[in-house]
Amino acid sequence: MAYIFPGKIFPSALNAYIQCPFKFKCHNDKDVKAEFIENPESFVGKIVHLALENFFDIKKVPINERKDQDIGQMIRHLWARVPKSSWSSACWSAKERKELFGSTEQEKAFGLKAIAMIKNYISKADLSIVPLSLEDWMQCSVGEFVIAGKIDRIDQDSESSISVWDYKTGKLPFYDSIEKIIKDDPQIPIYAIIASKLYPFAKKIKAGLIYIQYSKIYDIIWTKDELEEVENEIIKTIREAKDNTDFSPRINNLCPWCDYKNICPDKDKIKEKDSKIEEVIW
Ligand code: SF4
């Protein structure tokens, strides 16, 4: 294996470590790291992010035109222009999209679902916001490390407060409270720390997840002092990951979906989820 401790820590890497040190090792090994393969859901996820980036960009859609924006037209325009990867400007051809979705009818069904999802979110969202940043790659130093990520949206709420948002296009999370969600996943704390350092005027930092399909928000507010404690915890976890030398597998609830299950030393101990089928009784 060619494991290298990352120069920049992204939330996905730290999340892998919290779940399982062996998974973290695989995630940071260029020889075994799972390759990302586009699927219909990830394509829709990209479209939704692109559409909301355009929608909240006042250079593209002035605030007074947001309410009357033709979301269907916007999605159809973007759909044909989704780049195949972040390092190439080549777009998906109609033939490739048909293959990805299985048929033109299925592609249409996913497209209509994306339009409905965004219309539903926008109908309940605050349309007066002027974001400080949209879909930007950002990073900052914490202790001896650099943390980084692509932050979907940062809004200025007042002269001394900001909100940091990540859009989710999938199902609602397993946990129904932000405190439980961030215990397992450091994405929101990491984004809040980066935003607070890049916008030092903010004394209060709200950060959270927006589940677009359900217009459901999970958020938390930190003062700068509280966020400093969160930062110390993040540094502690990164140090632990760096100093870890045995990378033992840690069986957890997400093992059945782990990209590294086939090379996991404990693969025989993993119980397949939902293997028992109980028929309906009506
Ligand atoms: S299957 Fe489970 S224990 Fe094995 S590497 Fe993946 S997360 Fe770790």
Side-chain angles (χ1 to χ4, degrees):
M1 286 220 220
Y3 164 77
I4 297 177
F5 184 77
K8 274 183 203 170
I9 306 288
F10 289 90
S12 56
L14 209 54
N15 190 18
Y17 179 75
I18 292 166
Q19 275 172 27
C20 163
F22 185 78
K23 186 173 182 179
F24 175 78
K25 186 183 183 190
C26 297
H27 186 86
N28 293 295
D29 182 329
K30 65 176 175 44
D31 290 343
V32 295
K33 184 173 174 164
E35 227 180 277
F36 170 73
I37 299 169
E38 196 84 72
N39 58 48
E41 286 76 19
S42 61
F43 188 96
V44 169
K46 270 188 196 164
I47 280 284
V48 169
H49 281 75
L50 277 170
L52 291 175
E53 180 184 356
N54 280 274
F55 183 80
F56 284 114
D57 184 342
I58 52 169
K59 293 193 285 311
K60 291 182 180 153
V61 181
I63 294 178
N64 60 356
E65 289 177 20
R66 282 177 179 165
K67 200 163 61 68
D68 302 318
Q69 202 44 220
D70 186 340
I71 299 300
Q73 162 65 21
M74 183 187 257
I75 295 286
R76 286 185 184 94
H77 177 84
L78 292 169
W79 198 271
R81 290 163 181 77
V82 171
K84 279 200 211 162
S85 70
S86 42
W87 57 87
S88 139
S89 56
C91 305
W92 289 77
S93 68
K95 184 170 170 277
E96 288 167 334
R97 292 199 307 267
K98 189 176 169 188
E99 276 164 19
L100 177 74
F101 287 95
S103 68
T104 309
E105 291 70 32
Q106 276 171 206
E107 181 183 344
K108 183 178 169 188
F110 272 94
L112 294 178
K113 192 178 162 200
I115 293 170
M117 205 191 287
I118 297 188
K119 278 188 177 171
N120 175 48
Y121 169 64
I122 284 173
S123 70
K124 294 171 188 145
D126 175 3
L127 299 189
S128 65
I129 53 163
V130 182
L132 292 170
S133 92
L134 287 164
E135 301 286 335
D136 283 326
W137 286 100
M138 296 179 162
Q139 63 179 59
C140 72
S141 299
V142 290
E144 65 274 38
F145 306 109
V146 174
I147 52 174
K150 191 179 189 193
I151 301 182
D152 290 341
R153 201 176 88 210
I154 302 178
D155 301 336
Q156 179 164 0
D157 299 332
S158 74
E159 280 183 5
S160 59
S161 61
I162 57 172
S163 298
V164 187
W165 298 112
D166 188 67
Y167 302 131
K168 300 288 183 202
T169 54
K171 291 183 189 147
L172 288 173
F174 179 71
Y175 294 118
D176 197 30
S177 89
I178 188 74
E179 288 77 13
K180 286 184 187 159
I181 294 170
I182 62 178
K183 213 163 167 250
D184 274 2
D185 186 345
Q187 182 189 31
I188 287 307
I190 286 181
Y191 285 1
I193 294 164
I194 297 174
S196 116
K197 291 199 188 246
L198 297 185
Y199 297 101
F201 68 84
K203 295 190 175 33
K204 226 163 54 172
I205 297 98
K206 185 195 272 187
L209 304 164
I210 301 176
Y211 282 80
I212 302 293
Q213 203 173 337
Y214 310 89
S215 291
K216 174 97 177 149
I217 293 177
Y218 296 88
D219 59 12
I220 184 165
I221 297 174
W222 283 298
T223 62
K224 260 196 187 308
D225 288 346
E226 287 164 345
L227 208 48
E228 232 174 83
E229 283 172 36
V230 176
E231 182 179 333
N232 289 336
E233 282 302 310
I234 293 283
I235 294 171
K236 206 170 119 197
T237 311
I238 302 174
R239 280 197 191 123
E240 209 183 288
K242 191 173 183 195
D243 295 344
N244 194 315
T245 49
D246 71 347
F247 297 109
S248 304
R250 186 186 297 144
I251 302 278
N252 62 78
N253 285 339
L254 298 175
C255 287
W257 298 280
C258 175
D259 288 328
Y260 309 104
K261 198 169 63 172
N262 290 342
I263 54 168
C264 174
D266 279 357
K267 63 171 181 265
D268 295 337
K269 297 183 194 158
I270 300 164
K271 282 200 209 94
E272 287 301 325
K273 278 257 172 209
D274 304 327
S275 54
K276 189 168 163 237
I277 293 167
E278 292 185 347
E279 300 294 351
V280 291
I281 51 167
W282 41 270

